[in-house]
Amino acid sequence: MPSAAPAEWKGPPSNRTFLGHPVGLFVLFLTEMWERFSYYGMRGLLKLYMVNYLFITVRQTLQGKAYDGAGNPDDVIGWGFVKSLLPTIDPSTLEQCVGEKVKALVAQNPGMLADMANTIASQKCAVEPNASLLYGAYASLVYLTPVIGGWIADKYLGQKKAVYVGAITMALGQFVLFGADNLFFIGLLLLIIGNGFFKPNIATQVGSLYPPGDSRRDGAFTIFYMGVNIGAFICNFVCGTLAALYGWRYGFLAAGVGMCIGLAVQFLGRNALAPDTLQERKSQAVQEEKQSLTANERKRVLALIILCLLNVVFWAVYEQQGNTMQTWADEKTFWPSWASSTWFQSVNPFFIFLFAPFLDRFWAWQSKRGSEPSSVAKMAIGCFILGGSFVVMVAGARIVGGDKGSLFWPVFCTMLLTIGELYLSPVGLSLVTKVAPVRIVSLMMGTWYLSSFLGNFLSGWIGQFYTSMPKEMFFLVLMVLGISAGTAIWLFNKPLKNAMQPESPHGGSSPVSSTAS
């Protein structure tokens, strides 16, 4: 079936700009900043909360402090069922882990009796590999539901309403975590559902602010990505500190308040945003969603799906930040007495807004010289840098051994890892809005996040080997995985580039800029 004529672009109702961009970009910037404050503030606590509080009976009531509380994990609704699905820990692995943890607990808590240390260590070692799996399952599912949320927005709600639904649902999830330990899994479920509505539809609105071919679009996604990471940077100083001073639940409360602030920003700035793609179709009475994709569109969609699948290993390695790298930061790193180990989660976003402007200028310089890599090539480079960053942790694990070590190791690794992320993640977001057919752009954005779903799930599975493998070998595996992912993307660079050429108004394919291919 022949395709309908492309819908006329309808930008934001206001022509006001700030720093050369539509004001709506900064509304979305602030909305996403506070949503990421909420997400990463909770994520930085999640694994430590499960291991040190929720799923053991002798509990650390204040994050990073003494084990001075008591509780029953079986009171958590659904824990019995979830536990039955999780693998049993190998006895020899458990014994080795307990020995190491007893020594660490006694060193960190002078005066702790050996029996108490053994009880805590036994429970922590039994739950830690499964907590890694649960962390990976949660972090993956929040990237699976955007496929459904994007489809619902494209077909029924529109991006704006979907963002409101998602924000309200996520705020409720955070408040459930604050209100009752036993509703832990219900809180996580609300967060997973809410993120499905929110995540694909906030990023899609950034692309809607700019007409096709606007050279500001890549820069807009870089600015938007900085907003993401400002929220991720500040959240751990707030949520982690509240959890350390007043208790875990107050960290979740702060995360919920942050989500409410983001919701308020989106509502107050709603008139600065462009119409939804759904609104455009209704206003023009063009029922594009009932039409088949053209051959060119199908080729572009297939290319995006292949690229998403190639990204899976990148995310599996990258997401160790909140999993095994956070465990290293908590158990194997010296921190000042006034600092919380959860602050480690702010290192990555700090480096993002430090390096993002530099890379933006660097790519512009390369573009003028005609040497800027294509988007697919940038993604391959990002994987190579990600893999290479774990050379630092291999060296750190060898030097630190069974003791604690300097902050240098996880921080320097994260600095390199962040550069790899900047070569892949914002570039991919921009690419989706350029290459995907307009009438399914939110669905394709959800498909982009599907790679994060699979990657996070794989991340949780990989993370369980942190307690059973020598640390040096574990980080070496991460290095090899990252470099292998880069090699795979690099090999597919040319065919993917050719497949992603958009359709010209006169039929056939039209060339695109290097950053769009």
Side-chain angles (χ1 to χ4, degrees):
M1 179 183 294
S3 64
E8 181 184 354
W9 174 76
K10 292 183 181 294
S14 170
N15 292 324
R16 288 187 301 147
T17 62
F18 180 66
L19 298 179
H21 288 275
V23 172
L25 172 64
F26 299 93
V27 173
L28 298 171
F29 171 103
L30 290 170
T31 303
E32 178 73 350
M33 183 187 85
W34 284 108
E35 186 274 332
R36 292 291 89 181
F37 173 98
S38 176
Y39 173 77
Y40 283 108
M42 178 270 187
R43 195 193 76 164
L45 297 173
L46 181 58
K47 187 181 178 186
L48 300 179
Y49 174 66
M50 290 189 285
V51 172
N52 293 314
Y53 182 85
L54 190 63
F55 295 136
I56 60 176
T57 59
V58 182
R59 293 176 165 177
Q60 188 184 75
T61 54
L62 303 179
Q63 192 277 314
K65 309 299 181 183
Y67 289 83
D68 56 356
N72 184 4
D74 291 331
D75 290 339
V76 179
I77 296 172
W79 173 233
F81 171 72
V82 171
K83 187 164 58 173
S84 70
L85 302 176
L86 297 171
T88 303
I89 311 302
D90 178 70
S92 61
T93 301
L94 187 62
E95 183 179 356
Q96 179 185 348
C97 175
V98 169
E100 293 175 358
K101 278 206 171 21
V102 166
K103 186 189 302 183
L105 284 166
V106 172
Q108 293 168 20
N109 301 273
M112 178 179 283
L113 298 176
D115 286 347
M116 176 67 76
N118 189 72
T119 298
I120 297 170
S122 298
Q123 293 189 40
K124 287 184 64 170
C125 287
V127 80
E128 191 167 295
N130 287 332
S132 179
L133 287 173
L134 289 174
Y135 171 90
Y138 165 73
S140 63
L141 288 170
V142 297
Y143 289 108
L144 173 63
T145 51
V147 178
I148 302 169
W151 178 78
I152 291 173
D154 280 333
K155 195 167 181 65
Y156 300 110
L157 287 180
Q159 285 93 11
K160 292 180 181 178
K161 289 180 181 177
V163 165
Y164 289 131
V165 171
I168 292 169
T169 306
M170 284 191 288
L172 287 174
Q174 300 285 16
F175 292 137
V176 165
L177 293 177
F178 162 72
D181 295 334
N182 66 323
L183 299 181
F184 174 72
F185 289 112
I186 294 173
L188 291 188
L189 181 61
L190 288 170
L191 290 170
I192 289 165
I193 294 170
N195 195 76
F197 284 99
F198 187 96
K199 192 70 177 170
N201 296 300
I202 194 77
T204 301
Q205 290 184 71
V206 175
S208 299
L209 294 170
Y210 300 88
D214 193 319
S215 61
R216 297 175 298 169
R217 188 183 297 226
D218 280 349
F221 273 96
T222 301
I223 292 171
F224 179 72
Y225 204 69
M226 289 177 68
V228 168
N229 288 283
I230 290 173
F233 174 72
I234 62 177
C235 66
N236 299 293
F237 298 114
V238 178
C239 300
T241 301
L242 287 173
L245 293 178
Y246 301 105
W248 298 93
R249 60 200 302 261
Y250 290 96
F252 301 136
L253 175 63
V257 171
M259 189 66 260
C260 289
I261 295 173
L263 179 63
V265 168
Q266 181 79 358
F267 178 76
L268 294 173
R270 63 193 183 279
N271 293 330
L273 304 177
D276 290 340
T277 56
L278 179 63
Q279 291 172 325
E280 290 180 11
R281 289 200 301 272
K282 285 182 177 179
S283 67
Q284 296 180 25
V286 177
Q287 299 300 315
E288 291 181 330
E289 68 276 8
K290 294 182 181 178
Q291 299 190 17
S292 301
L293 296 174
T294 66
N296 175 272
E297 288 174 331
R298 286 196 297 272
K299 190 164 65 171
R300 283 150 49 197
V301 167
L302 179 61
L304 282 175
I305 291 172
I306 292 172
L307 189 59
C308 289
L309 291 174
L310 292 173
N311 287 337
V312 168
V313 177
F314 175 93
W315 294 116
V317 176
Y318 171 86
E319 288 296 343
Q320 295 300 324
Q321 281 185 96
N323 190 351
T324 55
M325 288 289 284
Q326 178 60 53
T327 300
W328 176 280
D330 189 56
E331 298 180 351
K332 304 282 286 182
T333 303
F334 287 113
W335 288 83
S337 59
W338 43 267
S340 166
S341 69
T342 58
W343 291 9
F344 172 66
Q345 294 301 307
S346 291
V347 174
N348 168 250
F350 169 76
F351 283 129
I352 282 177
F353 54 75
L354 183 67
F355 291 132
F358 168 76
L359 280 178
D360 185 50
R361 294 296 87 210
F362 177 63
W363 291 334
W365 175 79
Q366 285 185 316
S367 180
K368 287 180 182 178
R369 293 168 57 91
S371 60
E372 183 183 11
S374 70
S375 290
V376 178
K378 284 180 182 176
M379 291 174 167
I381 293 168
C383 290
F384 288 134
I385 297 173
L386 172 77
S389 70
F390 281 95
V391 173
V392 177
M393 292 306 298
V394 171
R398 176 173 291 185
I399 292 170
V400 172
D403 299 319
K404 284 192 171 187
S406 167
L407 269 168
F408 167 81
W409 302 111
V411 169
F412 189 60
C413 173
T414 302
M415 183 190 77
L416 297 175
L417 175 152
T418 300
I419 297 172
E421 177 188 1
L422 285 168
Y423 265 90
L424 186 137
S425 190
V427 171
L429 290 173
S430 179
L431 183 65
V432 171
T433 66
K434 292 175 181 178
V435 174
V438 172
R439 60 190 181 276
I440 58 168
V441 66
S442 287
L443 176 61
M444 292 311 300
M445 188 64 76
T447 304
W448 167 259
Y449 288 123
L450 188 61
S451 67
S452 292
F453 155 69
L454 295 169
N456 275 279
F457 191 82
L458 183 58
S459 170
W461 181 80
I462 293 170
Q464 66 181 323
F465 296 105
Y466 179 80
T467 56
S468 59
M469 292 176 68
K471 302 299 182 284
E472 182 181 342
M473 182 59 65
F474 178 80
F475 292 124
L476 183 64
V477 169
L478 298 183
M479 181 193 79
V480 171
L481 287 172
I483 293 173
S484 299
T487 303
I489 294 175
W490 192 269
L491 292 174
F492 278 89
N493 182 22
K494 189 172 181 179
L496 286 173
K497 226 169 91 170
N498 293 336
M500 286 180 179
Q501 298 300 322
E503 198 167 20
S504 71
H506 307 293
S509 297
S510 60
V512 291
S513 66
S514 65
T515 52
S517 59

